[in-house]
């Protein structure tokens, strides 16, 4: 007789604790190194905390805000809230204040989990009516909230029934990135979260008992939470890194079996490696780059399904021993592969990392479907594609090229919105807003966001993302944004990093950048090459409203900020209608 699989997150948690109570589940790092907690100990903490929440008045269906750094405490509060029947609403403390207020206004939370009493007071003042209870991660409180350490330590009569969650109960409300406007709420049930985990585990057998995972992305982001649940289901060990800036330092200690990240992480990792090589003696630089090129050629032939020739095989083995193996220690010695999500990864960067021996697999999803739409897998991947559709996703390409998806993971409509603005058609297909094609082998290739592709005044359709990817190949370009809607030709804003030396003469700097941009954009169609560049040393930030909390561009906000400078740049370009006229460079004030 087949045992039914759990259909709530707490049920999966209890099953894991019953299967391997003495195995380590979560690790935290202190000054003394990494210390772990067993699944049995974690179960005890979650049961006590859930019981306290019920004792303090939390009812099934109540919304609970979690606004704390990525940590074991976040995960305990998450699991306890779900076990008590609550609905988790994750908020990134670094999000814009207006977005935080908007989320609070939509969800009307009854309980808050926060970092400290000061944060508690700041949120409490925003809520009308005030929350039923507030819990602070810190031990010291000022009477405005309960202490999380105290609740975890204090005994409490166990709630009955345990756990309270049902498959059809709401488990979480997440919010869209807000890249094109106000964030929109999306509610998912326990059954939908469990389906998402089962779909992911179907593709990634490497998530297994004893595997090591680095938990470092904000847990307000559902992607990291679902990976944690996947690890829990399979009995993997999760290592919590509360400061994202320390993740590269921690990886050799964690030795992850697989690693999840976002393109910005991989771009900065690549820039750091290149910078490290550039500071070495000339003979080391030459040897390192030669070894890297050999690795790229070896992997390229491998991806084509061919066997490398004997000379390349021997050269690769030597390059791997001397250089590549040492470099891979940055990510630990046991890494099988990495997964990138949230935005497209440039194909050239995937190829460069593969040349080092790091396989990065792109995944693709949308907030409106809890199950990732498509993923590349270790046994079936193609660089530049986002992989094949995941289980339970029915994919269709519309007549205009837009990707549509239907299935049990697709949302039912935006939370609290009765205006009928959800992008669902009469057949319940979700309109993703992405142009795409699907090849004969089932791999999906994205071709740009409908909302981002723009037309110039000459009628050319310009997809900005591939242009931006080319521009970010320059080691000193921290961020790149392409504009040109209704203008004669596209231009780009380049945010320069610290890798670009300070104090260079303006004319020399402009000449260098123009030449470098012409080189990296040479493979683009002529109409897609930026004819003008606006350069600045000021980075785009979340606080200024230019980036979403998961680092997506808020294009309209960026364009509004630089509108006067862009107008001046186009004035400088007047009369220059061909690439032969050269790229115009202007510094933003």
């Amino acid at each position: 007789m087949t045992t039914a699989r759990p259909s709530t997150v707490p049920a999966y948690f209890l099953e894991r604790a019953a299967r391997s109570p003495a195995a380590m589940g979560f690790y935290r790092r202190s000054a003394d190194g990494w210390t772990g907690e067993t699944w049995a100990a974690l179960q005890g903490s979650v049961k006590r905390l859930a019981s306290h929440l019920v004792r303090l008045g939390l009812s099934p269906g109540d919304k609970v805000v979690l606004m704390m750094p990525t940590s074991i405490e976040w995960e305990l509060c998450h699991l306890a809230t779900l076990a008590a029947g609550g609905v988790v609403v994750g908020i990134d403390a670094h999000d814009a204040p207006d977005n935080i207020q908007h989320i609070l206004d939509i969800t009307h939370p009854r309980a808050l989990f926060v970092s400290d009493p000061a944060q508690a007071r700041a949120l409490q003042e925003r809520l009308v009516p005030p929350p039923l209870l507030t819990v602070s991660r810190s031990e010291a409180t000022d009477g405005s909230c309960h202490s999380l350490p105290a609740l975890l330590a204090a005994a409490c009569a166990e709630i009955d029934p345990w756990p309270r969650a049902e498959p059809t109960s709401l488990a979480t409300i997440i919010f869209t990135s807000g890249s094109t406007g106000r964030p929109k709420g999306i509610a998912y049930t326990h059954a939908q979260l469990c389906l998402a985990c089962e779909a992911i585990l179907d593709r990634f057998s490497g998530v297994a008992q004893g595997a090591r995972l680095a938990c470092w992305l904000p847990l307000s982001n559902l992607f990291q939470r679902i990976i944690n649940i996947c690890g829990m289901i399979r009995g993997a060990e999760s290592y919590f890194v509360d400061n994202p800036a320390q993740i590269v330092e921690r990886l050799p200690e964690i030795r992850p079996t697989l690693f999840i990240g976002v393109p910005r992480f991989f771009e900065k990792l690549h820039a750091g490696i290149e910078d490290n090589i550039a500071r070495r003696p000339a003979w080391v630089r030459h040897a390192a780059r030669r070894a890297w090129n050999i690795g790229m050629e070896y992997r390229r032939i491998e991806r084509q399904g061919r066997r490398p020739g004997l000379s390349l095989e021997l050269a690769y083995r030597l390059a791997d021993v001397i250089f590549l193996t040492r470099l891979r220690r940055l990510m630990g010695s046991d890494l099988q592969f990495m997964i990138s999500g949230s935005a497209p990864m440039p194909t050239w960067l995937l190829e460069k990392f593969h040349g080092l021996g790091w396989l990065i697999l792109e995944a693709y999803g949308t907030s409106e479907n809890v199950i990732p739409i498509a993923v590349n897998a270790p046994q079936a991947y193609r660089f530049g594609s986002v992989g094949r559709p995941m289980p339970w996703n029915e994919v269709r390409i519309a007549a205009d090229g837009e990707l549509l998806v239907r299935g049990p993971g697709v949302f039912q409509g935006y939370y609290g919105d009765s205006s009928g603005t959800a992008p669902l058609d009469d057949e319940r297909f979700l309109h993703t807003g992405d142009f795409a094609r699907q090849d004969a082998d089932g791999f999906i290739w994205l071709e740009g966001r409908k909302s981002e592709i723009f037309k110039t005044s000459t009628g050319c359709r310009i997809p900005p993302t591939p242009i931006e990817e080319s521009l970010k190949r320059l080691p000193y370009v921290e961020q790149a944004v392409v504009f040109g809607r209704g203008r004669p030709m596209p231009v780009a804003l380049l945010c320069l990093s610290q890798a670009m030396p300070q104090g260079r003469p303006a004319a020399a700097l402009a000449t260098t950048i123009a030449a470098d941009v012409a080189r990296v954009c040479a493979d683009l169609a002529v109409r897609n090459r930026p004819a003008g560049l606006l350069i600045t040393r000021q980075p785009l930030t979340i606080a200024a409203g230019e980036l979403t909390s998961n680092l997506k561009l808020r294009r309209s906000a960026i364009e509004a900020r630089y509108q006067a400078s862009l107008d001046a740049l186009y004035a400088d370009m007047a009369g220059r209608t061909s690439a032969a006229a050269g790229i115009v460079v202007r510094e933003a004030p």
Side-chain angles (χ1 to χ4, degrees):
M1 181 177 178
T2 303
T3 304
R5 285 182 286 185
S7 52
T8 70
V9 176
Y12 263 127
F13 175 61
L14 293 181
E15 181 184 72
R16 171 50 50 203
R19 282 189 177 186
S20 48
M24 292 296 179
F26 298 163
Y27 282 82
R28 61 161 53 87
R29 197 181 192 283
S30 64
D32 299 325
W34 292 95
T35 56
E37 294 191 36
T38 65
W39 289 111
L42 292 168
Q43 176 182 291
S45 295
V46 169
K47 280 192 172 184
R48 281 193 300 278
L49 184 54
S51 300
H52 281 298
L53 293 178
V54 173
R55 174 182 61 82
L56 293 168
L58 190 72
S59 299
D62 282 348
K63 315 305 183 296
V64 179
V65 159
L66 271 68
M67 193 163 81
M68 297 186 297
T70 296
S71 58
I72 287 180
E73 288 78 13
W74 206 107
E75 197 60 69
L76 293 176
C77 295
H78 169 227
L79 293 169
T81 297
L82 297 181
V87 181
V88 170
V89 180
I91 295 182
D92 189 334
H94 300 101
D95 204 350
D98 286 351
N99 285 344
I100 293 175
Q101 184 65 59
H102 177 66
I103 292 170
L104 296 175
D105 291 342
I106 287 178
T107 57
H108 304 291
R110 293 281 286 158
L112 308 172
F113 284 100
V114 296
S115 294
D116 52 54
Q119 195 177 70
R121 290 190 297 273
L123 285 185
Q124 288 167 342
E125 291 170 359
R126 292 170 174 260
L127 286 171
V128 179
L132 172 73
L133 68 130
T134 303
V135 181
S136 168
R137 185 187 179 197
S138 63
E139 294 196 24
T141 65
D142 57 3
S144 65
C145 51
H146 298 272
S147 164
L148 179 58
L151 291 179
L152 289 171
C156 187
E158 188 174 305
I159 59 173
D160 184 29
W162 162 263
R164 288 186 167 192
E166 297 290 340
T168 56
S169 302
L170 287 188
T172 189
I173 302 173
I174 64 167
F175 283 81
T176 60
S177 63
S179 58
T180 58
R182 281 285 185 89
K184 297 176 180 178
I186 300 168
Y188 287 121
T189 65
H190 281 265
Q192 286 177 305
L193 292 186
C194 292
L195 272 181
C197 293
E198 290 167 16
I200 291 169
L201 292 170
D202 178 73
R203 291 291 171 89
F204 298 113
S205 58
V207 183
Q209 187 155 357
R212 293 180 299 279
L213 308 176
C215 176
W216 71 285
L217 295 173
L219 283 164
S220 54
N221 187 311
L222 189 58
F223 184 40
Q224 179 69 78
R225 263 187 276 166
I226 285 184
I227 294 298
N228 286 3
I229 298 169
C230 287
M232 176 183 74
I233 291 172
R234 289 285 175 83
E237 300 170 353
S238 292
Y239 290 73
F240 288 78
V241 180
D242 60 0
N243 182 357
Q246 296 179 344
I247 183 61
V248 174
E249 179 185 350
R250 300 296 175 223
L251 286 171
E253 303 169 357
I254 297 170
R255 294 182 297 114
T257 309
L258 61 92
F259 178 81
I260 64 168
V262 294
R264 189 71 192 122
F265 167 82
F266 295 113
E267 290 166 359
K268 291 181 78 69
L269 179 63
H270 174 259
I273 294 170
E274 289 280 14
D275 181 62
N276 185 279
I277 292 172
R279 289 187 281 105
R280 301 292 177 177
W283 71 271
V284 176
R285 293 198 304 272
H286 176 76
R289 290 188 173 125
R290 174 65 178 153
W292 200 339
N293 288 334
I294 290 170
M296 289 179 65
E297 177 64 12
Y298 183 88
R299 296 297 181 178
R300 183 184 67 81
I301 291 173
E302 187 181 68
R303 289 195 301 274
Q304 294 173 348
R306 299 189 290 126
R307 290 179 62 87
L310 179 59
S311 60
L312 179 58
E313 181 75 40
L314 294 175
Y316 174 74
R317 290 183 182 181
L318 183 62
D320 197 50
V321 169
I322 295 174
F323 174 70
L324 304 180
T325 298
R326 296 181 183 184
L327 190 55
R328 287 198 298 271
R329 291 173 188 159
L330 277 171
M331 301 292 293
S333 57
D334 298 324
L335 187 67
Q336 295 178 7
F337 59 89
M338 298 186 271
I339 301 171
S340 176
S342 89
M345 270 275 282
T347 301
W348 66 266
L349 190 55
L350 295 170
E351 292 171 349
K352 290 210 73 172
F353 277 125
H354 203 204
L356 295 177
W358 288 332
L359 175 62
I360 302 177
L361 303 168
E362 283 197 273
Y364 163 65
T366 180
S367 299
E368 289 83 359
N369 184 10
V370 72
I371 300 173
I373 294 174
V375 300
N376 284 285
Q379 65 277 12
Y381 63 89
R382 288 187 183 168
F383 288 169
S385 84
V386 292
R388 289 171 170 153
M390 292 283 271
W392 296 296
N393 286 330
E394 180 185 354
V395 169
R396 175 186 294 179
I397 306 295
D400 67 350
E402 183 179 5
L403 179 66
L404 315 181
V405 62
R406 179 170 67 182
V410 172
F411 82 144
Q412 299 301 306
Y414 294 114
Y415 184 80
D417 179 17
S418 57
S419 62
T421 58
L424 297 167
D425 61 25
D426 293 341
E427 297 181 78
R428 306 305 294 174
F429 273 96
L430 169 68
H431 290 236
T432 64
D434 289 304
F435 288 121
R437 62 182 174 87
Q438 190 170 20
D439 65 23
D441 296 319
F443 287 85
I444 294 174
W445 303 75
L446 299 182
E447 298 182 332
R449 290 287 296 168
K450 292 180 73 171
S451 62
E452 292 181 354
I453 293 175
F454 59 83
K455 277 189 178 182
T456 62
S457 59
T458 59
C460 294
R461 251 176 95 178
I462 307 293
T465 302
I467 308 170
E468 291 159 356
E469 289 174 356
S470 294
L471 293 168
K472 287 191 289 186
R473 295 185 72 164
L474 298 173
Y476 55 79
V477 174
E478 188 79 10
Q479 294 150 323
V481 191
V482 171
F483 305 102
R485 188 183 302 275
R487 304 274 200 169
M489 58 202 77
V491 299
L493 170 71
L494 303 183
C495 300
L496 307 185
S497 72
Q498 298 304 312
M500 173 58 75
Q502 300 280 344
R504 297 181 63 185
L509 180 66
T511 300
T512 298
I513 294 176
D516 287 347
V517 166
R519 174 173 50 82
V520 297
C521 292
D523 292 336
L524 298 174
V526 172
R527 66 177 180 273
N528 290 349
R529 298 173 191 170
L533 302 171
L534 189 64
I535 60 175
T536 177
R537 294 185 186 272
Q538 297 297 316
L540 304 175
T541 65
I542 296 171
E546 298 153 338
L547 300 175
T548 67
S549 59
N550 57 357
L551 304 183
K552 290 182 180 178
L553 299 173
R554 285 198 167 105
R555 295 179 183 273
S556 58
I558 298 167
E559 187 167 12
R561 175 183 171 183
Y562 287 99
Q563 187 66 59
S565 296
L566 289 168
D567 290 341
L569 176 61
Y570 275 104
D572 292 344
M573 292 163 52
R576 296 180 180 237
T577 58
S578 70
I583 299 173
V584 178
V585 181
R586 184 182 182 87
E587 288 199 55

